[in-house]
Amino acid sequence: MNQDKQFYLYTIVDQKPDDNFSVVGVIDGSGSMSECWEDLCKAWNHFLLDIQSSYCIQFDDTAILQQNPKLNQQKGEGTNISLGFHELIKLVKSEKLKKNVIVIFITDGVGEDKLEDYIDDLAENFSLFHEQEYQFKFFTLAIGETFSHTIVAELKNRIHNSTLISSQMEYIQDSKVDFSNKLQQIKEEIFYKLVRVEPPVSLVPYGKKLRRLAPNQTIFSETPIIKVNGEEINLKQYQISYHDLYQFVNQVFLKLMEDSTRGLKTIKEEATKQLQIINSLMKRVQQEDGNDYKQDIDETIQKIKAFSLGQQQLKLLSAKDAAQSITKLQSAILAKNYKRQDNYEQKPVPNEKLEKAKQRLSVMKKSVKIKTIYTQIEQFFKENSNASPQLLVKLLQEKRAGQNLQRYALEYQSECTILFELMYICNQ
């Protein structure tokens, strides 16, 4: 890798979720599902109560798109996974689904068919669907310990698009799995309208290039000029923050874990390359006051190093252990993101800290850099008080509050972040 080459990170933000989606269950109705069928039916049917667009494909040695999305009678024969996903392709082509689709795959076994018999067809069709601006999130509820985590990882790799940091990984339990709880977690998943980016960018350096992707992620670009929804952005103007690097390092690690689960042989080589790029980016990170990301970044880098040394091979783990490893990481990243988002609202502020914050804010308000735009900054904060300081800065940089504040947030990114942090404390 050319050590002098410049790479760019940019976090695309959007606070407006799109809750218009369809749910499709691809559900194993084979005989071995009998033990948990009654519990599954009860949980699935309750899950569908307030979902307006829902479908159910039940498969055994045949597959049908049920007229009623609810579960009742079990088909009860063998396990032919490919038929279920071929039926899913037909359903998408019928144009009955909304553009946002949650696919829930429920199974307890490997299947009698071979992955190579249908994976190429699946890849070809879903690549086309992605180009047509469908956004798929793929979830697996795997029961027991006999399913194939390789098959699950390959299916997700083809279907799930536009996001890496999302609670999409499979939940592993025995036949007594709490279906209601797991389905409720999926129901809480959020879609955002896809953002158009030109030229195509990736979420990790060796990932596929995307022209449309979900926001609230950090993109990796080798070119300094990109267009986001038609608006030109010069990435040279943007400092790399610890938040950007935190998102990016976790995206790299998740991709390595998923590819390791799929059994790819290039993991060591890719991990080594990613460490070089991360090291290059770290040298350009702005030193943020009160930063709380660095420890997490360092810990994740150590895990990436384990991949580069061949010490981390999920393919060699049991299906349950491999899936739980990825699920645990996904949950931790999401929990930390939410915690940081809400930290300023929930954490009590000692009186001493509050007084110091008030004094510092008073001084900053009078400074040459801030006094002319403080009223606008204060109003913007009040209108978006549920967002973290880092997100507020990004929103300003994307001209969400006019060109004047955009210029300020670009030129004085560190000061702007501190300003919002002080406002949070003083509004406790």
Side-chain angles (χ1 to χ4, degrees), residues 158-210:
R158 268 45 176 210
I159 296 172
H160 193 104
N161 66 315
S162 81
T163 181
L164 271 171
I165 299 181
S166 170
S167 52
Q168 74 260 28
M169 293 312 298
E170 55 271 20
Y171 302 101
I172 312 305
Q173 293 286 348
D174 58 22
S175 58
K176 302 299 183 183
V177 60
D178 182 357
F179 288 110
S180 296
N181 181 46
K182 299 306 180 186
L183 289 168
Q184 181 59 38
Q185 291 178 34
I186 293 173
K187 187 180 286 188
E188 292 169 359
E189 189 66 25
I190 295 173
F191 283 95
Y192 294 88
K193 289 184 178 179
L194 292 176
V195 175
R196 290 180 291 108
V197 183
E198 291 290 348
V201 295
S202 56
L203 297 176
V204 297
Y206 71 109
K208 59 186 177 183
K209 296 290 181 91
L210 302 167

Side-chain angles (χ1 to χ4, degrees), residues 28 86-87 98 100 176 275 279:
D28 184 352
H86 282 135
E87 197 66 32
K98 299 180 185 298
N100 298 323
K176 302 299 183 183
L275 287 170
N279 184 57

Side-chain angles (χ1 to χ4, degrees), residues 32-33 35 107-111 141-150 152 170-177 317-324:
S32 58
M33 290 284 289
E35 185 178 351
T107 187
D108 70 341
V110 176
L141 268 62
I143 303 137
E145 301 182 24
T146 61
F147 74 102
S148 168
H149 58 313
T150 301
V152 169
E170 55 271 20
Y171 302 101
I172 312 305
Q173 293 286 348
D174 58 22
S175 58
K176 302 299 183 183
V177 60
L317 297 178
S318 71
K320 183 174 181 178
D321 289 342
Q324 283 184 332

Side-chain angles (χ1 to χ4, degrees), residues 93-352:
K93 287 182 175 179
S94 74
E95 300 184 352
K96 294 177 181 178
L97 300 177
K98 299 180 185 298
K99 286 294 186 179
N100 298 323
V101 186
I102 291 177
V103 178
I104 304 175
F105 176 41
I106 304 177
T107 187
D108 70 341
V110 176
E112 296 158 14
D113 44 2
K114 295 180 180 179
L115 179 68
E116 53 266 30
D117 292 342
Y118 58 95
I119 200 67
D120 288 342
D121 181 49
L122 197 74
E124 182 180 342
N125 277 285
F126 273 88
S127 290
L128 180 61
F129 298 151
H130 295 164
E131 289 175 10
Q132 295 170 349
E133 298 194 39
Y134 279 96
Q135 188 176 181
F136 295 93
K137 292 194 175 186
F138 181 82
F139 297 82
T140 299
L141 268 62
I143 303 137
E145 301 182 24
T146 61
F147 74 102
S148 168
H149 58 313
T150 301
I151 289 176
V152 169
E154 289 291 352
L155 288 171
K156 189 193 76 64
N157 189 58
R158 268 45 176 210
I159 296 172
H160 193 104
N161 66 315
S162 81
T163 181
L164 271 171
I165 299 181
S166 170
S167 52
Q168 74 260 28
M169 293 312 298
E170 55 271 20
Y171 302 101
I172 312 305
Q173 293 286 348
D174 58 22
S175 58
K176 302 299 183 183
V177 60
D178 182 357
F179 288 110
S180 296
N181 181 46
K182 299 306 180 186
L183 289 168
Q184 181 59 38
Q185 291 178 34
I186 293 173
K187 187 180 286 188
E188 292 169 359
E189 189 66 25
I190 295 173
F191 283 95
Y192 294 88
K193 289 184 178 179
L194 292 176
V195 175
R196 290 180 291 108
V197 183
E198 291 290 348
V201 295
S202 56
L203 297 176
V204 297
Y206 71 109
K208 59 186 177 183
K209 296 290 181 91
L210 302 167
R211 282 189 169 85
R212 297 178 182 87
L213 71 161
N216 302 309
Q217 300 176 102
T218 298
I219 61 172
F220 175 86
S221 176
E222 297 181 48
T223 59
I225 306 294
I226 62 172
K227 285 187 176 182
V228 177
N229 282 339
E231 183 176 345
E232 186 171 283
I233 294 176
N234 184 352
L235 299 180
K236 288 182 178 180
Q237 291 183 295
Y238 294 82
Q239 295 173 302
I240 296 175
S241 69
Y242 273 118
H243 173 266
D244 295 333
L245 190 63
Y246 169 78
Q247 288 276 108
F248 176 73
V249 168
N250 279 307
Q251 287 169 190
V252 168
F253 185 46
L254 281 171
K255 187 71 167 65
L256 290 169
M257 290 187 80
E258 291 176 8
D259 287 350
S260 178
T261 304
R262 295 166 60 206
L264 301 191
K265 297 178 181 179
T266 57
I267 298 299
K268 285 178 63 175
E269 179 185 345
E270 290 299 346
T272 300
K273 289 179 182 177
Q274 304 318 303
L275 287 170
Q276 292 175 334
I277 292 171
I278 290 168
N279 184 57
S280 171
L281 291 167
M282 284 187 74
K283 294 175 182 177
R284 294 162 46 209
V285 173
Q286 65 177 59
Q287 298 303 307
E288 294 176 343
D289 186 31
N291 165 66
D292 63 342
Y293 290 97
K294 193 171 186 307
Q295 182 179 346
D296 290 330
I297 292 170
D298 291 341
E299 289 175 359
T300 306
I301 288 174
Q302 291 304 312
K303 295 172 184 176
I304 295 173
K305 284 181 179 176
F307 274 118
S308 71
L309 297 172
Q311 297 169 353
Q312 178 82 277
Q313 298 184 59
L314 270 67
K315 175 70 173 175
L316 302 181
L317 297 178
S318 71
K320 183 174 181 178
D321 289 342
Q324 283 184 332
S325 295
I326 300 177
T327 303
K328 186 177 179 181
L329 174 65
Q330 292 274 21
S331 299
I333 293 170
L334 288 167
K336 284 177 181 175
N337 281 351
Y338 292 140
K339 182 180 178 182
R340 287 189 171 106
Q341 183 82 355
D342 299 335
N343 189 45
Y344 296 93
E345 296 176 72
Q346 296 178 356
K347 190 174 180 180
V349 179
N351 287 335
E352 184 180 352

